[in-house]
Amino acid sequence: MVERTPLLRFLAHLILIVGVVITLFPLWVAFVASTHPIENLISGPFPLLPGNQLVENYSKVLFQGGSSFGRIPATTMMLNSLIMAVGITVGKLVVSFLAAFAIVYFRFPGRNIFFFLIFITLMLPVEVRIVPTYDVVSNVFGPFQALLEATRIDRLLEAVAGIEVDLEWRLLNTYMGLILPIIASATATFLFRQFFQTVPDELVDAARIDGAGPMQFMTRILLPLSRTNIAALSVILFIFGWNQYLWPLLVAQENRLLTVVVGIQRYVNAADSLPVWHEAMALTVLAMLPPVIVVLLLQRLFLKALIDTDK
Amino acid sequence: MSERSFFKNRWLPYWLLLPQLLITAVFFLWPAGKALLQSVQRQDAWGLNSSFVGLANFFDLFRDDLYLQSFGTTLIFSVAVTLIALAGGLLFAACADFILKGSNAYRSLLMWPYAVAPAIAGALWYFMFNPSLGIIANALEAIGYDWNHALDGGDALLLVIMASAWRQIGYNFLFFLAGLQAVPNSVIEAAAIDGAAPVRRFWAIIFPLLSPITFFLIVLNTVYSFFDTFGVIHATTQGGPIQATSILVYKVYETGFLSQDLGGSAAQSVVLMTMVIALTFIQFRYLGARVHY
């Protein structure tokens, strides 16, 4: 602080408090609504303090499923979200770590082309190519089948060996279909690449002199060194995975695979005669809880990942 | 890139790259290529036959009043979201930086909406503004404003803008705060000795130093408001009423999945892809390695 300016300091606190109120208010309203019976919400005025139905509302949403659609218990939805978020996190970390290792520690023909191919995925969010990506997931072997048909290899095989080629691998309504297409983004690869470039060369040389091969160097030296980066990245990837919306909306159409973030839409937009806002808000609070807790508990790691990935 | 030590192995690097390349090829490059192809084709109603139609899909798009309207909506929406989220983030960061002590508590409280999914942010605001029982809608009614996002397009657009910006303010706040705390004290003290008051110091000296971060955040917030806000729209207004909140990314979904018009949806995808590539290019071209934290 350069000089004493009590009035400005007071003003700054005031503005921040207003900011905190705007930030927290929606959460408070949702929580209050989730603890009342629906009559209290409809008859108005809107209650400002929690009611006495907390246990009833939450246990109904968690274990029986809400009144508005399909009766999917929130425990099922949260488990689906958890599988998806953890799958995306682990998958991305593994795939990116290996790719970045190859790019930084080897010189090989095609390296720049491969790097460029990974790089351009940064420019194509899943939202802009949803129809063809959905096609691919409805048959992952579609591209290969198309390739065979285009090259007439399928006809050749049929004529020569009598095999009718019809490759099919459906990923719709599977966890794999939820996870795999989301793993394919390049941010994590870039982060690892940047970090590897700061690892001193002497470590590589020392490992080599001691007779370690590349895989030994990777698992025994590079992996432990990357501990903090991996932890930080996990935080942000978990949140990213948990909060996915468009993709699960398309791929997981069966209720048993519903994720909790998509489930909220079913409640909110239910065209039912009875509004079930108290249950919808209980589900909203539940859906928000895991990522918010992760952020608040692991703030340091979260910030590191955020600032490093720029995303 | 610096000269560094490498391992020598003929096949290993390919094996290491294989998983990433396979996933990228199958789930990124192929669909993107197919979107390009579909954008110049038209399919019959059963998707059995497709014929090459050149740029007809694009011409159709730009003759379609609803699509042009969607462009306008997206422009208003993304400019508003970016402006509100940046201004809010900067204001709170400046205040927190000014206070210094205690700003960690404010930081924890202000950043958590970033962990909230856009669709959930939408649901929260949708509920608060629910015309019949929403707490804010009721308050507005009490002061004489009849809020109804189910009927009034302006109200609906305002609602999705507020929900989208609310979620993003904390993120901008974190980046601005990091930038502000990197401004050397000597610069601020020198300005103070020259007689510049805190507010003057901020606009004349500190804010210009933040311009790389500001620019970077403008790009990121634009990308966010273009794409990540799909959840906000879909979980609340679903593009309505009468297309008032139908931004481009929602339109791609609507055209492709609800109207089953693959050529039209693909053409829209290509338009969007061009915009993202332009944004990414700007980001790399003008930002390059100049931003350091």
Side-chain angles (χ1 to χ4, degrees):
Chain A
M1 187 43 54
V2 188
E3 71 270 80
R4 305 188 68 81
T5 46
L7 183 68
L8 267 179
R9 288 182 69 80
F10 171 73
L11 207 66
H13 277 288
L14 193 70
I15 292 172
L16 283 168
I17 288 166
V18 170
V20 168
V21 168
I22 295 172
T23 306
L24 291 177
F25 189 64
L27 177 73
W28 179 248
V29 171
F31 174 69
V32 167
S34 71
T35 59
H36 280 273
I38 186 69
E39 298 78 37
N40 290 7
L41 303 183
I42 295 172
S43 58
F46 195 89
L48 281 171
L49 293 171
N52 56 4
Q53 298 269 316
L54 184 133
V55 178
E56 288 89 335
N57 289 348
Y58 279 87
S59 60
K60 175 156 191 250
V61 169
L62 266 172
F63 303 111
Q64 293 169 31
S67 317
S68 69
F69 76 98
R71 299 198 175 278
I72 319 295
T75 45
T76 308
M77 292 193 259
M78 300 208 24
L79 184 67
N80 289 337
S81 290
L82 187 71
I83 292 173
M84 182 178 174
V86 171
I88 289 173
T89 306
V90 174
K92 256 197 183 191
L93 286 174
V94 171
V95 163
S96 305
F97 190 88
L98 295 178
F101 178 64
I103 283 171
V104 174
Y105 287 98
F106 292 90
R107 285 287 172 279
F108 53 94
R111 178 173 164 274
N112 288 327
I113 296 168
F114 292 140
F115 185 65
F116 177 75
L117 286 180
I118 295 171
F119 173 78
I120 57 175
T121 61
L122 282 181
M123 302 182 195
L124 302 172
V126 71
E127 286 84 1
V128 306
R129 47 182 172 80
I130 42 175
V131 178
T133 312
Y134 179 85
D135 280 349
V136 168
V137 173
S138 64
N139 181 11
V140 180
F141 288 146
F144 303 106
Q145 176 79 25
L147 209 66
L148 290 179
E149 280 168 21
T151 53
R152 307 286 160 107
I153 290 178
D154 62 324
R155 305 243 180 107
L156 190 74
L157 279 173
E158 207 181 332
V160 176
I163 307 169
E164 193 177 332
V165 185
D166 191 13
L167 299 173
E168 198 175 349
W169 186 26
R170 290 174 61 82
L171 285 184
L172 289 183
N173 291 310
T174 64
Y175 288 117
M176 268 299 177
L178 279 174
I179 293 166
L180 274 183
I182 309 290
I183 288 179
S185 95
T187 31
T189 313
F190 278 79
L191 188 70
F192 280 127
R193 177 175 163 267
Q194 263 178 349
F195 171 66
F196 291 168
Q197 283 173 343
T198 67
V199 174
D201 264 5
E202 288 77 11
L203 279 176
V204 184
D205 294 334
R208 285 229 297 248
I209 290 165
D210 287 349
M215 292 308 274
Q216 269 172 315
F217 171 74
M218 187 182 87
T219 51
R220 306 259 289 268
I221 296 171
L222 207 53
L223 200 59
L225 279 178
S226 315
R227 241 184 0 239
T228 325
N229 287 66
I230 291 174
L233 202 52
S234 305
V235 173
I236 218 149
L237 288 178
F238 176 83
I239 293 164
F240 169 80
W242 183 276
N243 288 346
Q244 283 296 314
Y245 184 79
L246 174 61
W247 195 242
L249 178 77
L250 297 176
V251 171
Q253 287 153 349
E254 285 172 17
N255 278 340
R256 64 181 176 87
L257 281 167
L258 199 64
T259 62
V260 66
V261 177
V262 179
I264 282 168
Q265 188 264 338
R266 303 273 186 97
Y267 273 88
V268 171
N269 282 318
D272 272 348
S273 48
L274 281 172
V276 285
W277 280 106
H278 60 318
E279 290 172 9
M281 285 301 120
L283 187 66
T284 306
V285 171
L286 289 171
M288 199 159 27
L289 232 37
V292 168
I293 287 174
V294 164
V295 163
L296 293 182
L297 285 183
L298 304 173
Q299 276 190 45
R300 198 179 53 82
L301 288 171
F302 171 73
L303 290 174
K304 178 173 167 46
L306 199 68
I307 309 285
D308 281 353
T309 53
D310 302 339
K311 194 153 174 107
Chain B
M1 201 178 284
S2 64
E3 278 301 312
R4 54 179 311 146
S5 304
F6 301 112
F7 290 104
K8 288 196 178 59
N9 194 311
R10 179 171 267 202
W11 297 112
L12 187 62
Y14 295 103
W15 284 114
L16 293 169
L17 268 174
L18 191 68
Q20 172 111 44
L21 283 177
L22 261 185
I23 295 179
T24 305
V26 173
F27 296 107
F28 268 83
L29 303 176
W30 177 268
K34 208 165 164 195
L36 278 176
L37 188 69
Q38 279 175 341
S39 72
V40 294
Q41 288 180 336
R42 195 160 290 164
Q43 294 201 321
D44 63 33
W46 293 277
L48 296 174
N49 289 301
S50 49
S51 52
F52 179 79
V53 293
L55 296 177
N57 287 326
F58 293 95
F59 290 130
D60 284 355
L61 270 190
F62 288 99
R63 270 198 299 266
D64 179 1
D65 286 341
L66 284 178
Y67 188 70
L68 294 177
Q69 186 193 329
S70 169
F71 244 95
T73 310
T74 310
L75 197 69
I76 298 171
F77 174 79
S78 54
V79 168
V81 169
T82 304
L83 266 182
I84 296 172
L86 279 177
L90 182 61
L91 176 68
F92 298 144
C95 290
D97 183 56
F98 188 69
I99 289 166
L100 282 180
K101 270 188 198 142
S103 62
N104 277 351
Y106 287 120
R107 194 186 70 192
S108 304
L109 290 168
L110 284 170
M111 77 180 186
W112 71 267
Y114 182 68
V116 173
I120 297 179
L124 288 173
W125 285 74
Y126 195 64
F127 177 60
M128 290 195 299
F129 280 87
N130 183 290
S132 61
L133 54 90
I135 183 165
I136 297 185
N138 287 346
L140 286 174
E141 201 175 340
I143 58 167
Y145 184 84
D146 186 18
W147 175 276
N148 195 334
H149 54 238
L151 298 175
D152 186 312
D155 285 358
L157 190 57
L158 200 58
L159 178 80
V160 289
I161 288 171
M162 286 188 294
S164 308
W166 171 79
R167 182 195 172 261
Q168 200 67 1
I169 286 178
Y171 175 84
N172 296 335
F173 165 79
L174 291 175
F175 275 86
F176 276 131
L177 188 60
L180 284 168
Q181 294 184 337
V183 174
N185 256 332
S186 54
V187 176
I188 300 168
E189 276 157 14
I193 291 168
D194 285 349
V199 175
R200 170 98 196 274
R201 283 204 300 268
F202 181 81
W203 288 117
I205 294 157
I206 300 174
F207 185 66
L209 285 173
L210 287 180
S211 58
I213 292 184
T214 310
F215 187 71
F216 162 79
L217 285 175
I218 288 174
V219 174
L220 275 185
N221 281 269
T222 309
V223 171
Y224 161 79
S225 60
F226 263 59
F227 303 108
D228 294 347
T229 50
F230 174 86
V232 177
I233 309 275
H234 186 264
T236 59
T237 61
Q238 307 221 311
I242 331 170
Q243 303 275 329
T245 54
S246 181
I247 59 171
L248 289 169
V249 63
Y250 189 77
K251 202 106 176 100
V252 174
Y253 164 81
E254 197 185 36
T255 313
F257 282 92
L258 306 181
S259 321
Q260 296 285 324
D261 171 12
L262 296 184
S265 175
Q268 292 182 17
S269 286
V270 172
V271 172
L272 268 180
M273 272 193 242
T274 315
M275 293 165 101
V276 194
I277 289 171
L279 272 173
T280 316
F281 177 77
I282 292 172
Q283 188 183 339
F284 278 90
R285 174 73 179 76
Y286 295 102
L287 229 59
R290 278 189 294 143
V291 188
H292 290 289
Y293 305 100

